[in-house]
Amino acid sequence: MTIRVLLADDQALLRSAFKVLVDSEPDMEVVGEAADGAEAVALARSERADVVLMDIRMPGTDGLAATRMISADPALSAVRVVMLTTFEVDEYVVQSLRAGASGFLGKGAEPDELLNAIRIAAAGEALLSPVATKGLIAKFLAQGGSSDGIGAGDGDEGAYSDRLSALTGREREVLVLVAGGHSNDEIAERLEVSPLTVKTHVNRAMAKLGARDRAQLVVIAYESGLVRPRVE
C-alpha cells in the first residue's frame, strides 16, 4: 500500500524539498500541501491522508491546534501526525504529544530519518527520539514545564489512577519501559519474551488507558506519576 502524505508548513521552499524526497519513494506519495493548520485539517479529510508532516509554528491555525482538531475528529482517527520542529528540546513538543501527535522530528533530520518517520507513523508506532523520551518529556511533564502551563496538573495522577489499576503487573512493567524510550525488541530482550508478546501488552495497555497510540502511553506514564524523572 502507498502511504498518503500531507505536508503542512508555511515555508513553500521546505514543502517543495519534502515533496521531492517523499515522492521519490515507491511506497509513498504527497497528496496535498497546506500553508496553515486549518488547510491541513481540511486536506487530511478530503485527501484521505495517512500521515501529516505538521509544522508546529504556522500563522493562523498553528500545528498544535490542527493536531487537536484531527485527533478529536472520529473521521480522522486513522490519520497520524508527525510534528516538525526546529529545536528538538522544545516545550511545544510535549503539547503536541498531548494534542495527539504520534511523535516529532527535527527539521534538521537526515532524509532517511524523515522517510523512516513517515513509515513508523503510518504503521501506528510512535516516533519518539531518545533525547525527547528520556529527557524532554520527563522534564516538562513531571517537573511542571514552563510558565505556559506545560506539565502535569495537580489532578492528573488521580485522573489516571483507576485506569492504571486495571493494568496487569506485566502491562505496567511494559508501560514503564515504553516510557523509557525502549523499542518492543529491546523490551522483549529485557523481559525475555517475544516482541509479539510485548506488542500485545502495549496494545492492551493502550486500550485500557484510552491512549491513541504509543506516544500517548509515554505522556500518561509521566502524567500519572507511574514514571518519575531523574533530575540531572
Side-chain angles (χ1 to χ4, degrees):
M1 293 179 61
T2 300
I3 302 171
R4 299 173 64 81
V5 181
L6 174 64
L7 307 176
D9 196 297
D10 60 323
Q11 299 181 47
L13 186 60
L14 192 57
R15 293 200 310 271
S16 296
F18 285 158
K19 178 175 172 55
V20 170
L21 178 64
V22 172
D23 283 342
S24 69
E25 295 298 295
D27 62 336
M28 59 182 72
E29 65 174 331
V30 173
V31 295
E33 297 182 41
D36 61 55
E39 186 179 8
V41 174
L43 286 174
R45 185 177 294 109
S46 65
E47 301 303 322
R48 296 178 292 108
D50 298 310
V51 176
V52 181
L53 291 181
M54 183 88 75
D55 187 19
I56 290 182
R57 297 176 180 85
M58 291 184 287
T61 303
D62 65 15
L64 289 173
T67 300
R68 291 189 189 99
M69 293 178 193
I70 289 173
S71 298
D73 188 341
L76 299 177
S77 61
V79 177
R80 295 291 176 257
V81 177
V82 174
M83 303 298 285
L84 297 173
T85 179
T86 304
F87 302 103
E88 188 169 355
V89 179
D90 188 328
E91 63 211 45
Y92 288 104
V93 169
V94 175
Q95 290 185 328
S96 71
L97 293 176
R98 283 177 162 170
S102 293
F104 67 93
L105 195 68
K107 288 186 176 180
E110 294 294 325
D112 285 348
E113 290 182 273
L114 177 67
L115 296 172
N116 189 47
I118 293 171
R119 294 186 178 101
I120 289 173
E125 298 293 334
L127 181 74
L128 296 171
S129 75
V131 171
T133 304
K134 297 175 182 177
L136 177 136
I137 292 176
K139 175 182 175 183
F140 283 101
L141 285 181
Q143 294 180 5
S146 73
S147 59
D148 293 328
I150 303 162
D154 293 338
D156 286 336
E157 294 188 21
Y160 287 117
S161 61
D162 289 342
R163 281 185 284 175
L164 282 175
S165 66
L167 299 181
T168 65
R170 181 45 64 94
E171 287 165 358
R172 290 171 70 96
E173 189 176 10
V174 168
L175 176 56
V176 169
L177 292 172
V178 167
H182 299 286
S183 68
N184 283 359
D185 287 344
E186 291 170 341
I187 296 172
E189 183 176 356
R190 178 170 298 200
L191 299 181
E192 298 183 343
V193 297
S194 72
L196 180 59
T197 297
V198 173
K199 184 175 182 180
T200 297
H201 288 312
V202 170
N203 289 340
R204 287 176 178 169
M206 284 171 51
K208 291 178 180 179
L209 296 173
R212 177 183 172 91
D213 58 20
R214 195 183 184 97
Q216 301 304 302
L217 284 181
V218 176
V219 174
I220 291 172
Y222 281 103
E223 289 191 325
S224 67
L226 180 63
V227 176
R228 300 287 186 180
R230 288 183 296 180
V231 180
E232 298 293 337

